[in-house]
């Protein structure tokens, strides 16, 4: 009845519907982890005044023309200029001003000699600096625009704001930062077996863990989760929840309700809403009963109710759509190659995504499937930092084989799925 | 005057003063990224009732004893049990109950046959399931405690909460989660040359970018930044700011005021406060004028005012102290080996930390120094995801050499500095 399509094809159908979201301003303090909505440019030259890169003395280079170890030159120290203050009087050739790192070069001076190369001496109650070498014109002066010219591109649109970006934005006076609005992702967990996390257990029921897991996956991807809570496995409840979600969501994620069981109403809900179905089965494990549909520029994802399948379905399909809405160039999980540390003996009729732990050894990437054994279900959820991709139509893989691995916690991402 | 100590020695002196911080409870929704303050244990067996792992029919295995393709068995389908509901009447041997994935096994039934292996037939107005093979006792039943026993360790204290951890905590009903309080880190930027980010430029002055950068580094490390803003380069202002910070901070980070310039008052401030100085110079570049002192179980870090040195000083010294306060086992930056993609020709009298970009190629780690050229200052701040460590006493390094690299964005961290 349902025809599975390839993972690549499913991702492509989703991404063909993707579009950039809205923008807003936040304060620089609140900008960490957000995505820049504009190219940011230098508002001034850097440095924007000639300045000293060291603690030393600002001098006329010409005054040291004949200085040597045997015949040092003495220049009168007429004052000190600290970072942040400005020396007002023009300097005379036989004078020096003690200058601190970062301070503006006094008018007239055309070089700085580092403090380590000098000696301060006092003669007739006056302070002098003793210089034993010739200093060249322009030496140790950081010139206006030397590091950067006004108008230069600082950081590209689509960049995730990290400590380095924040430092740059502060330097150029951006106290309000244009960022992409976090896409609103409504989570609807369907299943009459679900209990809220604070409810006591009842026979036949389990607590709704997918909503909480998805909430955290949405936060990690840069979205704003909106939890609608659980709905019963009935057409009417599911239909009403999805209709309500359409009012505020950019993306709607349902879990459960997509398999072939008698109580799975989601396909009928899509139909009644008039949503355009993109797919309702994918040739992958886990999560073959993943579906996607689009309606009024909102994407509806139907993920499996099985926690593993729900997790993988989010990372493969929802995450790149959400990242594209955020204007990020690297929407996809980064794919690397790594050496398998343990045999993986299952056959793979469909493409299989195995939760795994990636590690490094002597410059090589290694990867180990986790939670293969039932008793390890917990650790497989907790320790996974990657997904091994085993192509469909393959048999088991031996220890030592090189395999493709998708990184779950990497912040760089990848521009393409392949 | 100041005696530089080795980086390893400096880190050790800081970590000898480290101690675990306080704990608090947050809701499960707010727990993402926080650090668990307790070992979390299973509150029930999993599954906690016998349940069906598939859509199928719950039956008496014995009734299929002689079933085969040629002589199929017909069992009367007396009803359907969905996930979340319970079948009340005990099943009889010639009966079957249609059962959905996750639903509780009806009393009396001792096996489940997958729906794909059956056919439903109607005879005399009654529904029957046709079974063509022998089903074994216990087949397709997930037993109580099969996945996990009550009281088993789920997640260790000190674990950073990720989507997988959240799923586990939800499954076991933890809607309030014990986490470590975020250490309060007061940031004091000293320097009369500093302007607030929203102030117009004045000659000789620059905007205070270190405060914003540190704020973001503190957030990334799991702390709570408290910005005191900038203070002038005077003993009195610095002393007063640090004294006030002592009232609320767990950690105090100052930037600037630590070099040998005439306006650097921090050493005198430590002395007057009666703080125990751990070091005031480290054999490293950048950031040799980094200092640390301890007073009343609060750590005072004096980082350089130079942005690169400030950045590196935070990651090397402040981050592990903060992580230890959070009870994390892996306090240190993860160190890996990677192949140098470009020559690095500078000599390294002291241990040098070079901001770099780590990448992967065909299972191998590669690393490239960034921002070597002055014009690249900006990209070096933005694109750095790692620090190359070049030991002191070495000359330049050639492309192709294997070098140590510290990962800045890795969430796993390392247990030891080495």
């Amino acid at each position: 009845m349902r025809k599975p399509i390839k993972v690549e094809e499913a991702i492509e159908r989703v991404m063909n519907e993707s579009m950039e979201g809205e923008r807003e301003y936040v304060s620089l303090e609140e900008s960490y982890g957000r995505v820049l909505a504009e190219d940011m440019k230098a508002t001034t030259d850097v440095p924007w005044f000639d300045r000293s890169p060291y603690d030393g003395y600002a001098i006329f280079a010409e005054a040291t023309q004949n200085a040597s170890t045997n015949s040092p030159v003495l220049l009168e120290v007429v004052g000190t200029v600290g970072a942040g203050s400005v020396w007002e009087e023009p300097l005379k050739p036989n004078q020096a001003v003690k200058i601190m790192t970062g301070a503006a070069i006094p008018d007239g001076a055309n070089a700085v000699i580092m403090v380590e190369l000098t000696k301060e001496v006092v003669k007739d109650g006056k302070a002098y600096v003793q210089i034993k070498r010739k200093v060249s014109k322009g030496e140790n002066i950081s010139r206006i625009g030397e590091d950067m010219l006004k108008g230069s591109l600082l950081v590209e649109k689509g960049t995730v704001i990290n400590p380095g970006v924040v430092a740059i934005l502060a330097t150029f006076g951006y106290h309000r930062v244009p960022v992409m609005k976090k896409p609103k992702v409504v989570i609807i967990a369907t299943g009459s077996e679900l209990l809220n996390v604070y409810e006591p257990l009842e026979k036949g029921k389990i607590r709704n863990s997918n909503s909480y897991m998805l909430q955290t996956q949405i936060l990690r991807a840069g979205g704003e989760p909106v939890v609608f809570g659980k709905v019963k496995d009935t057409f009417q409840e599911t239909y009403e929840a999805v209709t309500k979600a359409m009012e505020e969501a950019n993306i709607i994620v349902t879990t459960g309700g997509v398999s072939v069981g008698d109580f799975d109403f989601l396909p009928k809900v899509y139909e009644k809403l008039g949503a355009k179905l993109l797919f309702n089965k994918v040739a992958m494990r886990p999560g073959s009963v993943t579906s996607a549909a689009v309606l009024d520029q909102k994407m509806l994802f139907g993920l499996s109710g099985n926690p593993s399948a729900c997790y993988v379905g989010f990372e493969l399909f929802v995450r790149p759509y959400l990242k594209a809405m955020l204007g990020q160039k690297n929407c996809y999980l980064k794919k690397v190659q790594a050496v398998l540390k343990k045999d993986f003996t299952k056959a793979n009729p469909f493409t299989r995504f195995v939760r795994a732990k990636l590690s490094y050894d002597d410059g090589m990437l290694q990867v180990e499937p986790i939670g293969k054994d039932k008793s390890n279900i917990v650790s497989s959820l907790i320790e996974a930092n990657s997904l091994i991709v085993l192509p469909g139509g393959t048999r088991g893989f031996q220890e030592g084989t090189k395999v493709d691995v998708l990184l779950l916690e990497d912040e760089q991402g990848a521009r393409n799925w392949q």
Side-chain angles (χ1 to χ4, degrees), chain A:
Chain A
M1 190 169 85
R2 293 190 190 179
K3 195 177 167 297
I5 62 169
K6 289 198 167 182
V7 180
E8 297 80 343
E9 172 70 16
I11 292 174
E12 206 182 307
R13 289 190 192 176
V14 166
M15 295 304 278
N16 280 343
E17 303 291 338
S18 72
M19 57 185 174
E20 210 173 278
E22 293 173 15
R23 51 188 64 190
E24 65 183 347
Y25 279 84
V26 295
S27 70
L28 186 56
E29 289 89 340
E30 294 165 329
S31 69
Y32 173 52
R34 301 297 296 268
V35 181
L36 273 178
E38 284 173 25
D39 284 349
M40 303 302 282
K41 293 186 175 159
T43 52
T44 53
D45 293 334
V46 179
W48 74 279
F49 52 87
D50 289 349
R51 73 181 172 205
S52 175
Y54 302 112
D55 290 343
Y57 294 87
I59 57 172
F60 273 80
E62 294 79 356
T64 65
Q65 192 67 30
N66 302 311
S68 69
T69 313
N70 295 328
S71 88
V73 165
L74 287 187
L75 301 175
E76 189 192 344
V77 179
V78 292
T80 300
V81 56
S85 61
V86 175
W87 185 254
E88 302 289 355
E89 304 158 59
L91 205 65
K92 289 176 195 151
N94 61 341
Q95 295 179 334
V97 169
K98 193 165 187 188
I99 191 165
M100 299 297 134
T101 304
I105 305 293
D107 286 347
N110 60 16
V112 168
I113 182 163
M114 288 167 76
V115 70
E116 292 88 338
L117 303 174
T118 65
K119 202 173 133 185
E120 204 161 313
V121 293
V122 178
K123 235 174 72 176
D124 303 333
K126 281 187 180 173
Y128 291 86
V129 57
Q130 190 189 65
I131 300 173
K132 293 182 167 180
R133 46 160 287 211
K134 183 185 174 228
V135 178
S136 306
K137 211 172 144 177
E139 205 173 318
N140 292 330
I141 293 185
S142 299
R143 292 276 173 211
I144 289 178
E146 181 180 284
D147 289 346
M148 184 173 295
L149 292 174
K150 184 174 171 173
S152 307
L153 179 66
L154 297 170
V155 201
E156 274 186 17
K157 174 176 187 268
T159 302
V160 180
I161 297 174
N162 67 16
V165 174
V166 165
I168 293 294
L169 296 178
T171 300
F172 290 96
Y174 288 107
H175 59 286
R176 301 275 291 160
V177 184
V179 297
M180 299 303 290
K181 266 195 189 168
K182 294 183 184 184
K184 274 199 181 174
V185 188
V186 169
I187 304 165
I188 300 169
T190 74
S192 308
E193 77 279 22
L194 300 179
L195 293 170
N196 284 316
V197 66
Y198 47 81
E199 287 178 302
L201 289 178
E202 283 172 46
K203 188 172 172 191
K205 302 207 169 183
I206 54 169
R207 292 202 188 85
N208 171 15
S209 61
N210 283 348
S211 282
Y212 292 91
M213 181 176 74
L214 283 169
Q215 225 177 317
T216 318
Q217 287 177 288
I218 291 162
L219 288 172
R220 181 164 72 179
E224 182 189 334
V226 180
V227 181
F228 266 34
K230 58 194 178 69
V231 300
K232 287 217 171 61
D233 276 331
T234 68
F235 172 83
Q236 198 54 34
E237 281 212 23
T238 310
Y239 177 76
E240 280 167 17
V242 175
T243 305
K244 184 159 167 263
M246 284 294 294
E247 288 168 21
E248 60 169 308
N250 300 112
I251 300 171
I252 300 169
V253 177
T254 51
T255 71
V258 286
S259 85
V260 293
D262 282 6
F263 295 96
D264 298 326
F265 292 104
L266 202 63
K268 294 167 206 152
V269 169
Y270 287 166
E271 206 182 308
K272 172 147 183 196
L273 284 166
K276 173 178 143 202
L277 188 72
L278 302 180
F279 54 84
N280 59 13
K281 189 150 190 171
V282 184
M284 61 184 267
R285 287 273 148 72
S288 65
V289 289
T290 302
S291 64
V294 64
L295 175 64
D296 297 344
Q297 300 197 307
K298 288 158 197 268
M299 187 64 75
L300 296 94
F301 293 97
L303 304 182
S304 168
N306 169 285
S308 292
C310 180
Y311 186 96
V312 170
F314 180 90
E315 298 295 333
L316 289 185
F317 303 111
V318 189
R319 183 184 185 280
Y321 183 83
L322 195 159
K323 293 266 183 199
M325 189 158 245
L326 283 167
Q328 288 187 249
K329 284 198 189 106
N330 296 342
C331 297
Y332 300 98
L333 294 172
K334 193 181 202 63
K335 192 187 275 182
V336 300
Q337 286 76 47
V339 170
L340 204 56
K341 263 173 93 173
K342 265 188 189 169
D343 290 351
F344 186 86
T345 51
K346 277 191 202 163
N348 308 295
F350 285 171
T351 305
R352 190 188 293 277
F353 296 90
V354 185
R355 280 191 291 192
K357 193 168 177 177
L358 187 84
S359 56
Y360 310 93
D361 185 36
D362 196 27
M364 297 287 292
L365 289 173
Q366 299 192 324
V367 70
E368 179 178 1
I370 42 179
K372 262 174 61 182
D373 314 317
K374 279 197 169 175
S375 61
N376 263 336
I377 285 175
V378 169
S379 68
S380 100
L381 276 161
I382 294 169
E383 293 175 13
N385 61 7
S386 55
L387 297 170
I388 300 173
V389 188
L390 300 176
T394 55
R395 298 205 63 78
F397 285 79
Q398 303 286 305
E399 181 187 330
T401 313
K402 205 173 266 184
V403 292
D404 281 346
V405 182
L406 296 170
L407 307 186
L408 294 168
E409 293 173 351
D410 181 85
E411 293 177 17
Q412 293 172 50
R415 189 165 294 213
N416 300 302
W417 158 250
Q418 283 309 335

